[in-house]
Amino acid sequence: MSGPNGGYSRTTLAGKTLTDLLFREHYGLSVLAIWRRQQALRTDLSTLPLQFGDALLVYGPRKSLEAVARDSDFLVLDEAAAQAPRLSKAPLAAGIMFAVIASAILGLVPIAIAALTGAAIMVVTRCLSMEEAYRAIEWKVVFLVASMLPLGVAIQKTGAAQMGAEAVVAMVGDMGPRWVVAALFAITVLGTQIIPTAALVVLMTPVALSAAASLDISPHLLMMTVAIAASASFASPLSHPAHLLVMGPGGYRFTDYVKVGVPLTLVTMLVAVWLLPLLWPA
């Protein structure tokens, strides 16, 4: 809701309740929570008087959100959510995506070239505009990976990767490939709780390749282990932006992620340790 910091000096909604406004009937949206003074309110919302700066978490059709965006008393924080999807372009966009994936799977072109070509066709066919394409690029990730690549090379050149591989080999090298997969998975999944996934993969790749060379096992097996383990970032709100995004509005605590994330990570680890050596034999 608009307030002193929301671009409007006053609003007609302050002091009124959702029931007074007939919010659901008027806009066709259900209010799931109200964010007020760093606190998520989820009970008795219909009778709670609204205040300046309240943030409403709503659920409903996208067209209804467009109606809210047109109301000067509200400020939609996610502008993209208030825009109706271009359903007429959906079949074309799906076809382009399928072509990109199929060409990469069949080995017709490298995935980087296929993806870049697909993105260019999306813009040319007006599935999205050039401005939308620029906004969709995660520049933070691009610069993060670009800055981490020299660090990964340094880890390999200075022998740090070899030291890490030797530590893994010393722990479980004599126990077989599954134990190597388990150890590498555990090390990577611990790191991904505090290190961004893209950066962690860059750091762990030289270690995995060195371990594969030392043990004379498939590098594909250990690289896939790193890829899956780096994605198993379930046990910490710091491991992925989406975790932090829902932490505040959901009223979650750090321990909530641990309670759900640790068992899920263990299940992922068990499945990976069992399945990966079958798909990529050592």
Side-chain angles (χ1 to χ4, degrees):
M1 185 176 68
S2 304
N5 298 323
Y8 297 92
S9 59
R10 60 181 180 177
T11 177
T12 61
L13 306 184
K16 296 182 180 180
T17 67
L18 296 174
T19 301
D20 296 334
L21 299 174
L22 298 176
F23 188 88
R24 181 180 298 178
E25 293 79 1
H26 186 65
Y27 294 106
L29 295 170
S30 299
V31 178
L32 304 181
I34 296 179
W35 181 255
R36 177 182 297 174
R37 298 191 184 94
Q38 305 301 314
Q39 183 179 5
L41 307 176
R42 294 185 291 271
T43 58
D44 299 325
L45 300 181
S46 60
T47 58
L48 184 68
L50 298 176
Q51 297 181 6
F52 284 117
D54 281 352
L56 309 182
L57 177 64
V58 299
Y59 172 79
R62 193 185 296 265
K63 290 184 178 179
S64 298
L65 192 58
E66 291 180 358
V68 174
R70 291 192 295 267
D71 193 326
S72 60
D73 281 313
F74 294 97
L75 178 65
V76 177
L77 299 181
D78 187 355
E79 296 181 0
Q83 298 176 358
R86 305 183 187 102
L87 297 179
S88 61
K89 296 289 185 179
L92 177 59
I96 295 172
M97 183 180 68
F98 177 79
V100 169
I101 296 175
S103 61
I105 292 177
L106 297 176
L108 301 179
V109 291
I111 181 62
I113 296 178
L116 185 60
T117 303
I121 295 175
M122 289 280 192
V123 174
V124 171
T125 56
R126 299 192 176 182
C127 290
L128 74 166
S129 66
M130 184 61 72
E131 182 180 354
E132 291 170 334
Y134 277 123
R135 287 203 307 263
I137 298 175
E138 292 287 347
W139 292 109
K140 292 182 180 179
V141 175
V142 172
F143 286 109
L144 175 64
V145 174
S147 62
M148 293 301 291
L149 285 174
L151 182 57
V153 174
I155 289 176
Q156 188 173 15
K157 296 293 185 181
T158 59
Q162 186 65 30
M163 293 174 60
E166 290 175 354
V168 174
V169 172
M171 286 190 298
V172 295
D174 297 332
M175 300 181 185
R178 289 190 186 277
W179 284 96
V180 176
V181 170
L184 193 61
F185 192 103
I187 294 171
T188 306
V189 83
L190 288 175
T192 198
Q193 306 308 320
I194 56 175
I195 302 174
T197 300
L200 183 66
V201 170
V202 173
L203 296 178
M204 290 301 299
T205 294
V207 177
L209 293 177
S210 298
S214 300
L215 296 171
D216 194 25
I217 61 178
S218 171
H220 297 90
L221 171 61
L222 298 190
M223 286 302 301
M224 187 56 63
T225 300
V226 169
I228 294 179
S231 300
S233 53
F234 310 127
S236 168
L238 306 176
S239 57
H240 196 278
H243 296 178
L244 290 174
L245 184 63
V246 301
M247 186 176 183
Y252 300 125
R253 297 173 299 176
F254 194 101
T255 54
D256 294 326
Y257 290 87
V258 176
K259 292 175 183 177
V260 177
V262 170
L264 186 57
T265 300
L266 292 176
V267 171
T268 305
M269 181 176 179
L270 291 175
V271 173
V273 171
W274 169 70
L275 192 58
L276 289 179
L278 299 178
L279 298 178
W280 288 275

